[in-house]
Each structure stands twice: as C-alpha cells, then as structure tokens.
Amino acid sequence: MIERNMQVFDTSRYSFLSDPQKALDDYFELGYHIEPAVYSDEECADLIKAGHELEDAKNDIFRPCMMPHRQNPLYIKAMKKPLIVEIISAMVGGQAAGLQSEFFYCKPGTRGFSLHQDNFYVEAEYGVFASAWAALTDTYYEKGGLIIYPESHKEGALPVRKLNLGSDSAQDPNANNEETVVPPHYSAYNVAIPKGAVLFIHGHLVHGSNPNQTSEWRHVLLNTYIKSGEKFRAGFYAKREEVPLAD
Ligand SMILES: O=C(O)CCC(=O)C(=O)O
C-alpha cells in the first residue's frame, strides 16, 4: 500500500484509436498505457456474472480464478478482443498469442498484490510479453487501485526481497511471497482505472495493488499475452499455454 496522495493517473495522453503511433511511443517510454472504453458496460456485467458462476465461486471461494477461459468461452472472447490483440501485437512486436487469464473478485478487505514485474513469473525475453488489466468496475486508491512505477520497465529484471505476510485466502497464492526492490529514483503513482478501460502493462513494469478498503467488490479481468512462438515459463500454478488469437 502506498500513500493516498501519490499523483493519480486515469488516462493516457493518446489513444490507440486516434493516435496509434504516439500511443505506442508513449508505451515504450513509460511502460504502460491506459485505453478507455475497451469493454462495454454490458460486457463488464456479463464477465462479472460469469465470474460468480465459476467453479470456486459456486463454493464461496473467492481467490482470483486462474485461467477462467478454460471454464467459460466468454473469457476466450474477452481475451480475443480485436482492439486488445491489435494493441498488444504492436507492443510485443509481432502477432500476439494469449497466455493467461485471471479473474479477480477482490472482495471487501482483500489484501493488495505486492510490487512485482509480471515477467518475474513468465521469464520471457525482454519486450515480448505484456498484460491487459481490464477494470470491470471502477477502480481507485481505496478500491484496490493499481500502483505503477512509470519507466521502471527500462531496468529489465529487478531483484526481489522475500516477504512474510502470511496468506490471504481471497488473494492469489503467489501475490505476497516477495516484492520487487525498486531503485530509489523511480516514483510510485496510483492509477484510477474506470470500468471498461484497460491498463496495458509492459512485462517489466513494476506494479502492485492497494487493498480493497471499500464495501464493494473490485472485479478485474487480467489477460496476459506473448509474441507468438517466444519461450515462456508454464508455471506450476498457472500452467500457461499459448492460446492462438489470429483467426
Ligand atoms: O489486480 C490486482 O490486484 C493486481 C494484479 C496484478 O498486478 C497481476 O496479476 O499482475
């Protein structure tokens, strides 16, 4: 958790719809991009409803669901969203393939995700892996909002320090094992991502999330992507496999 008053970003300067080259240049410079209105209100509502019909949720288990696209084709459709595939393909420098989906319930009181670089788990080559973190409800500091360290992706893989926080049954089991050690010249920013918008995250951008201090659930769909044919770590928990997206 970082301080509330760290500057808040809720949109990027450019959109991939109107200024794709400038948006891409900014992404390479900053390590993230926020694209508004990617999923409609109806799509967000359908994905949330489907999330509460996944196997664990039916048993009142609300830890983030790993790979919901293997349970419900609605999540394949969300992963294949043409605008996202187009943006990610530009970011990773070639045809993107899906790698992972994860549905976050983040019920009231859920602990945040410790600072990390997504590629820590995936071990792909630099620049070929990126994530699309889609807010299905409004997210902001008090409501499990994300924390980012702009430009930290330029460091490549950073060291981590082990944490001893104990487990939170509503959080990803790997969320709090360790945290990235961020060089002191980078600053943390809170981002407030509105419903339907997507935060694109470079595989080496340091980020994490704040706890959900509200009385509402913070629903998020994370999809991660890799340049097709690149090497990656499958992982014991995630068991990642390439999902072809070009059809
Ligand atoms: O949604 C969150 O709380 C953090 C998720 C995240 O950063 C990740 O899975 O890489």
Side-chain angles (χ1 to χ4, degrees):
M1 186 161 173
I2 61 161
E3 289 167 36
R4 188 187 191 294
N5 60 2
M6 300 303 284
Q7 192 177 336
V8 175
F9 294 155
D10 54 9
T11 187
S12 285
R13 271 198 304 174
Y14 302 108
S15 161
F16 271 88
L17 290 178
S18 49
D19 284 300
Q21 190 55 53
K22 286 180 176 154
L24 186 61
D25 291 346
D26 264 11
Y27 167 78
F28 288 136
E29 178 60 21
L30 300 170
Y32 74 94
H33 171 77
I34 303 166
E35 187 68 35
V38 175
Y39 292 100
S40 67
D41 284 0
E42 193 186 347
E43 286 172 312
C44 292
D46 289 348
L47 288 163
I48 291 172
K49 182 165 175 292
H52 284 264
E53 289 162 1
L54 293 165
E55 277 313 307
D56 274 359
K58 281 196 281 194
N59 294 311
D60 286 339
I61 297 169
F62 296 113
R63 84 169 70 86
C65 175
M66 190 57 85
M67 307 300 193
H69 69 278
R70 293 180 185 160
Q71 289 189 46
N72 185 331
L74 199 62
Y75 293 101
I76 291 273
K77 192 169 168 224
M79 182 185 267
K80 288 186 167 182
K81 185 105 186 148
L83 177 61
I84 294 185
V85 177
E86 195 184 319
I87 292 174
I88 295 264
S89 295
M91 289 172 169
V92 301
Q95 175 62 51
L99 206 53
Q100 177 176 333
S101 62
E102 190 166 3
F103 183 87
F104 288 84
Y105 299 90
C106 204
K107 64 181 186 174
T110 301
R111 178 192 284 163
F113 208 115
S114 299
L115 294 179
H116 64 284
Q117 297 173 300
D118 286 344
N119 198 56
F120 173 78
Y121 306 102
V122 176
E123 297 177 5
E125 292 293 326
Y126 185 85
V128 301
F129 169 70
S131 304
W133 187 94
L136 304 177
T137 52
D138 287 340
T139 69
Y140 45 89
Y141 175 79
E142 291 83 0
K143 196 171 174 182
L146 268 246
I147 304 154
I148 58 171
Y149 283 77
E151 299 191 40
S152 56
H153 65 301
K154 294 176 182 167
E155 296 289 326
L158 285 164
V160 297
R161 72 166 75 87
K162 280 279 164 209
L163 295 174
N164 249 320
L165 299 182
S167 66
D168 174 347
S169 61
Q171 186 49 281
D172 183 305
N174 290 319
N176 305 115
N177 294 340
E178 60 272 304
E179 70 176 356
T180 305
V181 181
V182 192
H185 54 283
Y186 293 104
S187 302
Y189 290 83
N190 285 304
V191 281
I193 308 293
K195 177 161 78 166
V198 172
L199 171 68
F200 291 88
I201 306 171
H202 187 287
H204 284 89
L205 187 85
V206 180
H207 65 284
S209 59
N210 291 297
N212 182 4
Q213 303 176 73
T214 71
S215 56
E216 295 171 0
W217 297 51
R218 189 221 64 175
H219 296 107
V220 160
L221 178 63
L222 173 77
N223 281 308
T224 75
Y225 301 84
I226 192 159
K227 182 175 171 183
S228 187
E230 289 286 339
K231 287 198 296 289
F232 61 87
R233 182 175 159 269
F236 297 111
Y237 177 55
K239 299 189 173 48
R240 298 176 192 89
E241 283 175 350
E242 262 205 28
V243 180
L245 301 175
D247 21 49

